[in-house]
Every structure is written in structure tokens, then in C-alpha cells.
Amino acid sequence: MTERLAGISARIEGISQLGAVMNAMRGIAGARAQLARGQLGAVERYAAGITGAIGRVLSLTPAGAGGGTGPPRPALVLFCAEQGFAGAFSEHVLDAAGPGLHSSSLFLIGTRGYAAARERGLTPGWSSPLPAHSAGIPRLADGIAQALYQGIAAAGLNQIDALFSRSRPGQDITVERQRLLPFDLTSIPRAPPGGLPMFNLAPEALLRGLMADYLHAQLCSAALHGFAAENQARMEAMAMARQQVERQLDILRSAQRMVRQEEITAEIIELSAGEMASRGII
């Protein structure tokens, strides 16, 4: 019985340590998600500034500048999970792509997402891991943009969408789709003719540069949303796992109390029997 009690105690210790690891993972995921959400504000302000600049340049360029023609050659930029313990995070992104998942060129971000895509028989044309920290997102956006430009030059890609997850406080994580290219210049109001700044570049060249900067901002925004949502999913997964750990600990502690009671009862019986034997009662 002593060996049985020691075994239960060892299991309680092991599961308690596992619970501590889960709590630590949940805390790290929460901190990373909060930091990424804070950085999203800066990216949105940056994108708004670029949009305003594009509106000013558009007043000096012919209407319809920046448009594309030709048959659609679609591509998808998929922001999936980088690490484990995030549930079906990557699967939800892949499901949201719909039929286009098999008919588009795929640019996939996230090691776990890449594995999930391969399980479906998909072979992304380009992939990259997601940085462990949100500070690495701008460099990732640079890499994605370069890969997209190469795809445009080599394969004539002209319809590029991004799919990423978004998390909102108190709501379920959702997958959103955003058009990256072609850039819809008609959605940006042109600045009034008066009060335009002095330009050192031709308006067409300046517009191309601003559009490249705006694409970079969009990629940073999508990656940060995906980064925050993945860590939110990990927090939720760790919370559910922690509940399971607590239930298992309750069962083991109950068993531990029963074994201890049985052990105490056996010792009392043994002592009583010895006392009665010493008195010649039995």
C-alpha cells in the first residue's frame, strides 16, 4: 500500500509540474498577443499616412493609374500557425481559402501551417516561419513582398489576397480575407488641387513607391493580426488543458486520501491486534 501511495504522489507531482508549464505558456502567449495588438495601432497610423500621401499624388496622375489587365492569375498569402498548442488554428485558415486553395499560387507563413498544408497534398510555392517575437514582423513583410514581386515578374500574378486570423476581446477568432493586389486606387479620395507639396520625383514613380510602402504596411498588419490571434488561440488551448489538469489532480488527490485512510486503518488494526495478543486475548 505504501508503494501505491508513493506512486499516486509521484503522479500528482508530475501533473502539477505540467500544470505549471501550461500556466507559463499561457502567460507568455498573453504577453505576446497584447504586445502585437499594441503595435497594430502604429501600423494602422502608418498605413493611413501613406494613404493620404497617395491621395495627394493621385491628383497629379491620370485617372486609372496603377491598374492591371489580363486574365486573373491568383495567389494567396496564408498566415498560419508557427508553433503548436494552438488547436485547429492553421486548419481554419486553410478552410477559409475555399476552392482557391488548389487553384492559386500559395505563399504560406507558419511552420505548423506548412505541415498542415502538406497533409492536404498542397505544396506552397514559397513559405517562411513566423518570427517568435512581433519585432521581427517588418523583416518578414519585406521577405513576403520580395517573394510576391518575384511571382509577379515570373508568373504574372495579378490577383493576390491575404488570409489571416483576427482576435477581438470577448469574441471568437475569425479568418479575414484582404485584397493586396491590384491596389484599388479608386477607393482613395484625391486631394484637392491647392496646397500640394513640392515633389522631387515624377508622380508616377512616387506613386509606385508609395504603393510598395502600402503593401508592406498591409503585410505587417496581416502578420501582426495573425501573430496575436495565434497566441490568443494558444492561451485558450492552455486554459482548457489547465482545466483538464485540475480535474485529473482532483481525482488523484481523492485517491491519495482514500489510500492514506486505508493505510491508517490497516495500521490501527495491526496495532489493536498486537495489543490484544500481548494481553492474551487472542
Side-chain angles (χ1 to χ4, degrees):
M1 191 172 296
T2 301
E3 293 179 357
R4 182 184 174 192
L5 181 61
I8 295 175
S9 299
R11 289 186 63 189
I12 291 175
E13 178 65 21
I15 293 177
S16 297
Q17 292 178 1
L18 179 60
V21 172
M22 291 178 177
N23 285 340
M25 292 178 63
R26 185 182 180 188
I28 292 172
R32 289 178 175 177
Q34 183 176 6
L35 179 60
R37 293 191 185 101
Q39 293 168 335
L40 273 167
V43 173
E44 291 170 356
R45 291 190 294 271
Y46 174 63
I50 296 174
T51 302
I54 290 175
R56 293 191 172 196
V57 176
L58 284 177
S59 63
L60 302 176
T61 58
T69 60
R73 293 183 173 86
L76 295 175
V77 183
L78 306 171
F79 292 89
C80 298
E82 173 61 24
Q83 300 175 354
F85 303 105
F89 184 88
S90 296
E91 285 73 11
H92 291 160
V93 176
L94 295 174
D95 290 341
L101 190 63
H102 296 273
S103 59
S104 303
S105 298
L106 301 182
F107 298 76
L108 196 146
I109 295 87
T111 302
R112 294 280 178 168
Y114 183 86
R118 294 291 293 165
E119 289 176 357
R120 298 188 180 202
L122 300 170
T123 304
W126 183 89
S127 64
S128 173
L130 192 69
H133 302 280
S134 56
I137 293 296
R139 179 175 294 182
L140 170 66
D142 287 337
I144 300 172
Q146 290 299 321
L148 291 177
Y149 294 144
Q150 292 174 6
I152 293 171
L157 302 179
N158 57 9
Q159 185 175 301
I160 304 175
D161 291 352
L163 272 80
F164 58 91
S165 299
R166 182 192 289 265
S167 61
R168 297 179 177 86
Q171 299 182 21
D172 293 335
I173 296 174
T174 58
V175 179
E176 297 189 1
R177 189 179 191 124
Q178 182 180 23
R179 176 59 51 87
L180 298 177
L181 294 172
F183 188 35
D184 184 13
L185 294 177
T186 61
S187 64
I188 298 180
R190 295 173 179 248
L196 291 175
M198 181 180 295
F199 294 100
N200 294 318
L201 294 174
E204 293 77 9
L206 182 56
L207 180 60
R208 288 193 297 270
L210 289 171
M211 289 171 63
D213 288 343
Y214 189 75
L215 173 63
H216 185 268
Q218 287 179 303
L219 291 171
C220 285
S221 177
L224 281 171
H225 276 299
F227 184 91
E230 178 186 345
N231 281 281
Q232 178 67 34
R234 186 167 296 109
M235 287 175 58
E236 295 173 359
M238 290 300 99
M240 294 178 63
R242 180 64 190 179
Q243 292 176 2
Q244 180 61 33
V245 165
E246 290 297 337
R247 286 193 291 268
Q248 187 65 28
L249 284 175
D250 288 342
I251 294 172
L252 289 173
R253 286 166 180 158
S254 177
Q256 185 184 50
R257 288 191 294 268
M258 291 179 61
V259 172
R260 282 177 175 169
Q261 186 60 48
E262 291 173 0
E263 190 174 58
I264 292 172
T265 301
E267 290 178 356
I268 292 174
I269 293 173
E270 183 178 349
L271 290 173
S272 298
E275 178 66 18
M276 294 174 66
S278 65
R279 294 181 180 182
I281 300 175
I282 55 176

